[in-house]
Amino acid sequence: MTTVLALETSCDESAAAIVRRREGGMEVLAHRIASQVEEHAQWGGVVPEIASRRHVEALPHLVEQVLKEARTGVDQLDAVASTVAPGLVGALMVGSVMARTLAALHQRPFLAIHHLEGHLASVQLAQDPPEPPYLVLLVSGGHTELIRVGESGEMQRLGRSHDDAAGEAFDKVARLLGLSYPGGPAIQAAAAQGDASRFALPKGRVKRPEGGFYPYDFSFSGLKTAMLRQVEALKLQSEQLPLADLAASFEQVVADVLVERSLRCCREHQLSTLVMVGGVAANRRLRGLMEQRGAEAGVAVRCAPLAYCTDNAAMVGAAALQRLARGVQPSALSLGVSARWPLDQASALQSNPPPF
Ligand code: KG4
Ligand code: ZN
C-alpha cells in the first residue's frame, strides 16, 4: 500500500488530504477543505493577497486534522505532494513551501503536481475507476478542454474553449442575474424549477479560418452576450426577471453543447468511455444529460465523485499516487511555483530550475 499527504492551495480553497492506493483502487483516508469563498465574495472576486494569508492560517490546522483522522504521521507516508502550477503564485507558494518543508524534515519524497493533472486524476477516486483509453471533458472555472488519455497515460488535447471557460460563463451569468458567487451552484439552484426551453440561446461554434467549424471547440462569449441582451429586453417589460427560466435555459444550452461535442469526439476517435471532471462536472443537469445521451450513443460516462469535482486535495493525492505507480522520480525541493504551465509539460515539474 502507498499513502500520500497532498496539499492544494492554487486559488481560494485551502485543502489537505491523505490518499492511499490499495488493491483495486484508491481510497481517501481523510480530506479537509477550508473555503475562503465568503471572504472574497464581498470584493466581487478572489483577492490574491487575502488568499495567501488565509492559506497560511488554515493549512497547518488542516494538515494536523487529516493526519489525526487517518491515524498516521508524516514519517509513515510514502510522499508529500502539493499543487505547484497553475494558479495564484502567492497562494501556490504557501502549499508548496509547507509540502517541501514537511518532506525535507521527514525525509520523504516531494511530488510537485499540476492542478489539471489533479482534476484528471479525480475520477480515479470513483468506486469503479475507468481504465484508459478514454476522453476527458475537463470543465472548471479556468478550463474547458477535451483530452484524450491513452493506454499508458499519455495525453492529447482534442478540444478547448476559445474564450471563457464553462465555469467562468456560469460565474459571469450568475452575476448578471444577481445571483451569488460561485455562480455554478447558484444557477443550478435557481434553474431547478425553471423552463429550460423558454429562451433560445446560441451554441457558440468556432469558425475555422479555412472554412467550416472546429468540431470539438467551444466559445461561451456569444452566449454571455445573448444572456445580457435577453435580460435587458426583459427588464424593459417588467421589474421582475423570470430568473428560474433564464437560469434553466442557460444551464441547458451549456449542457447541450458540452454533451454534443464530447460525444461526437468520442465517436470520431473510437473512444467508448467519457470521463467528466472539474467544478462544472458537479452540475446535475450536465451529469444527467451526459449519462442519458451517452447511454443512447453506447458511450460509458464516468464522473469524478461529487466531492472531488471542485478544487480539493484528494485529487492532488490521486495524481501523486499515479506518478508513484509509474515510477516517476520525485521533484526537486528547490522547485518553484508557476502561475501558468501547460498540462502537457506537467512531467517537467520535477527538476531544477524552478518553473517561474
Ligand atoms: O474546478 P474548480 O473548483 O476550480 C477551478 O479549477 O477553476 O471549478 C470552479 C468552477 C466555478 O466556475 C463554479 O461556478 C463551477 O466550477 N461550479 C459549477 C457547479 N459547482 C461549481 N458549475 C455548474 N454547476 C455546479 N453545480
Ligand atoms: Zn480546479
Side-chain angles (χ1 to χ4, degrees):
M1 282 195 296
T2 315
T3 312
V4 297
L5 165 66
L7 309 180
E8 156 65 41
T9 60
S10 62
C11 190
D12 56 355
E13 322 270 10
S14 320
I18 310 272
V19 189
R20 168 176 293 173
R21 182 187 284 282
R22 52 169 170 71
E23 202 140 326
M26 295 180 190
E27 183 183 9
V28 180
L29 300 185
H31 89 109
R32 294 279 173 128
I33 301 177
S35 178
Q36 312 168 359
V37 164
E38 280 178 21
E39 185 161 3
H40 295 288
Q42 59 183 305
W43 303 101
V46 179
V47 183
E49 175 64 21
I50 296 180
S52 311
R53 288 175 188 224
R54 295 296 168 262
H55 289 314
V56 170
E57 287 161 10
L59 211 51
H61 302 290
L62 298 176
V63 169
E64 205 179 336
Q65 283 169 342
V66 293
L67 287 170
K68 199 166 154 198
E69 204 178 313
R71 295 168 200 273
T72 189
V74 181
D75 290 329
Q76 292 159 45
L77 300 174
D78 296 283
V80 182
S82 78
T83 309
V84 300
L88 302 171
V89 164
L92 287 166
M93 195 77 88
V94 178
S96 144
V97 165
M98 178 140 190
R100 286 180 287 159
T101 306
L102 286 171
L105 272 175
H106 298 272
Q107 298 181 349
R108 305 285 87 196
F110 164 62
L111 296 172
I113 304 296
H114 191 289
H115 184 73
L116 299 186
E117 193 187 351
H119 275 302
L120 270 116
S122 64
V123 73
Q124 298 303 323
L125 300 169
Q127 280 294 336
D128 185 14
E131 295 275 342
Y134 48 66
L135 183 71
V136 183
L137 170 63
L138 166 69
V139 261
S140 68
H143 294 84
T144 301
E145 304 198 349
L146 284 168
I147 300 165
R148 182 189 189 280
V149 177
E151 261 151 76
S152 40
E154 74 280 10
M155 292 178 225
Q156 182 191 6
R157 189 171 73 179
L158 299 174
R160 67 184 172 96
S161 173
H162 285 243
D163 39 60
D164 289 352
E168 210 176 341
F170 268 95
D171 295 336
K172 289 178 178 170
V173 167
R175 199 175 314 146
L176 172 71
L177 298 178
L179 300 171
S180 58
Y181 176 87
I187 287 192
Q188 174 169 295
Q193 309 301 327
D195 172 4
S197 61
R198 173 149 172 208
F199 299 105
L201 295 163
K203 287 190 172 175
R205 292 202 291 172
V206 184
K207 273 195 180 134
R208 271 197 169 117
E210 65 271 29
F213 297 92
Y214 290 107
Y216 320 128
D217 285 2
F218 307 92
S219 165
F220 294 105
S221 64
L223 171 58
K224 211 174 49 192
T225 312
M227 284 296 288
L228 176 66
R229 298 271 177 276
Q230 191 61 257
V231 167
E232 282 170 352
L234 287 162
K235 276 187 180 161
L236 292 178
Q237 295 165 18
S238 155
E239 288 277 294
Q240 192 87 27
L241 281 178
L243 268 190
D245 294 349
L246 281 167
S249 301
F250 168 78
E251 202 183 44
Q252 183 68 40
V253 77
V254 174
D256 270 338
V257 152
L258 293 172
V259 168
E260 282 166 14
R261 290 180 202 164
S262 303
L263 292 179
R264 174 174 181 179
C265 190
C266 279
R267 191 176 67 239
E268 293 178 355
H269 286 79
Q270 288 85 43
L271 291 164
S272 56
T273 305
L274 186 277
V275 164
M276 223 170 24
V277 301
V280 183
N283 186 267
R284 226 179 293 131
R285 194 183 298 264
L286 173 61
R287 285 168 96 99
L289 194 69
M290 192 68 95
E291 267 155 28
Q292 183 204 325
R293 302 251 181 95
E296 288 161 12
V299 172
V301 174
R302 315 299 303 280
C303 300
L306 263 187
Y308 308 128
C309 283
T310 43
D311 288 350
N312 66 88
M315 69 183 196
V316 177
L321 288 176
Q322 284 186 323
R323 286 228 194 151
L324 290 173
R326 287 204 302 270
V328 174
Q329 287 301 305
S331 310
L333 283 176
S334 53
L335 194 81
V337 300
S338 180
R340 293 177 178 276
W341 197 261
L343 176 62
D344 58 9
Q345 300 293 311
S347 59
L349 294 171
Q350 259 173 273
S351 53
N352 272 327
F356 277 110

